[in-house]
Amino acid sequence: MKSGKTGLYEDLKRQILTMELDPDQVLDEVTLSERYGLSRTPVREVFRRLEGEGYLDIRENRGTRVIPMNHSTLRNFFLVAPMIYAAIGRLAVQNFTPAQLEELKQTQQRFRQASVERNPLALSLENNRFHEIMGEMAGNPYLKPSLSRLLIDHARIGHTFYRPRDQDMEQRLDLSVEHHDEFIEAIARHDENRVVDLVFEHWELSRANMQLFIAPQALKADSLVEGPLS
């Protein structure tokens, strides 16, 4: 844990993305002030910044809460995510800079290493950064806020993807790493159509795992009954 405003800002973002802070969880301004060595004014400034970026919800008489996830949120997420990612992908191909491409490669190296180590927190954060960079490549002021909000819920809903529980999930995680490499190659050669195809392949890869977060597999009925009723 870091100290000061920057530390508070970075820690809260990380904790929200990795589900260390639950959706709709109330944040205690006094506790955070003491923990980070800050007065309440800079804590409130961090809260307002994170609210503007879509991480927090600040309402009078309700305090400051982690942005919730409800039925409407999830429905809208699954409805628009592929469209936004596809638009970002097209614009990234058209507008990227060599420096951005290099940063994408470096992020991918960290993502791949996290995959080898099966480090779910690092995987979630590096994946989030990978797609943030693609948004920066796109450079569109209208799409950027939508992508930022989308990535918050993508990280929270998709955290099960980085905790594979069987061979099929392991294989899908490995394939997602390969997809990132293919994104880099397609962007570098300005192959807009391939990037868009990859967007939908990548989306389908993680969608089933995200649905496990929303609707976990039910327990078998016979596991709930130890024996016949007497």
Side-chain angles (χ1 to χ4, degrees):
M1 189 189 74
K2 303 174 183 177
S3 61
K5 282 179 65 175
T6 300
L8 175 60
Y9 171 77
E10 292 178 353
D11 283 347
L12 287 178
K13 280 184 65 173
R14 174 182 55 78
Q15 291 167 13
I16 292 168
L17 290 172
T18 59
M19 295 286 283
E20 293 174 60
L21 290 172
D22 292 329
D24 212 32
Q25 182 171 331
V26 177
L27 300 183
D28 188 334
E29 187 178 295
V30 175
T31 300
L32 291 172
S33 295
E34 295 173 351
R35 185 179 301 165
Y36 288 84
L38 297 168
S39 67
R40 296 175 72 173
T41 296
V43 171
R44 290 169 184 165
E45 290 172 356
V46 170
F47 283 177
R48 286 194 292 271
R49 179 180 176 186
L50 289 170
E51 180 189 34
E53 295 175 0
Y55 290 86
L56 298 179
D57 181 25
I58 303 174
R59 294 187 186 180
E60 189 175 357
N61 300 322
R62 291 189 71 240
T64 300
R65 297 173 178 265
V66 175
I67 199 76
M69 285 196 298
N70 51 36
H71 172 77
S72 176
T73 301
L74 296 173
R75 181 182 182 279
N76 287 327
F77 172 83
F78 281 99
L79 184 67
V80 306
M83 293 185 285
I84 292 175
Y85 287 142
I88 289 291
R90 287 189 184 280
L91 290 172
V93 171
Q94 297 171 17
N95 299 318
F96 77 90
T97 67
Q100 288 171 331
L101 186 62
E102 181 58 31
E103 186 179 1
L104 197 66
K105 291 177 181 178
Q106 292 174 4
T107 302
Q108 170 61 358
Q109 289 176 358
R110 295 192 299 270
F111 183 74
R112 179 175 287 280
Q113 183 60 36
S115 175
V116 171
E117 298 170 355
R118 287 299 191 255
N119 182 334
L121 296 183
L123 279 164
S124 180
L125 294 173
E126 296 301 344
N127 179 71
N128 189 75
R129 182 58 190 146
F130 186 93
H131 291 286
E132 277 184 341
I133 295 169
M134 288 188 64
E136 292 165 7
M137 288 175 160
N140 187 287
Y142 295 100
L143 279 175
K144 185 177 180 180
S146 297
L147 177 67
S148 297
R149 183 66 183 86
L150 196 69
L151 287 176
I152 294 169
D153 286 334
H154 196 149
R156 297 193 295 177
I157 298 169
H159 76 282
T160 54
F161 188 78
Y162 302 117
R163 292 175 171 84
R165 295 179 298 191
D166 54 41
Q167 186 175 6
D168 179 62
M169 292 176 74
E170 294 273 1
Q171 290 174 344
R172 277 187 277 177
L173 176 54
D174 291 338
L175 185 54
S176 75
V177 178
E178 295 177 16
H179 279 175
H180 280 199
D181 287 329
E182 292 182 51
F183 271 120
I184 292 170
E185 293 169 5
I187 292 170
R189 65 174 183 265
H190 298 273
D191 190 342
E192 188 174 313
N193 290 332
R194 180 54 185 152
V195 168
V196 172
D197 288 344
L198 276 168
V199 163
F200 289 103
E201 291 174 25
H202 202 57
W203 170 252
E204 287 301 316
L205 191 63
S206 60
R207 184 168 56 87
N209 290 67
M210 289 190 288
Q211 288 173 335
L212 286 176
F213 171 79
I214 299 165
Q217 292 179 343
L219 294 173
K220 292 183 179 179
D222 56 6
S223 70
L224 302 177
V225 181
E226 294 183 0
L229 296 175
S230 57

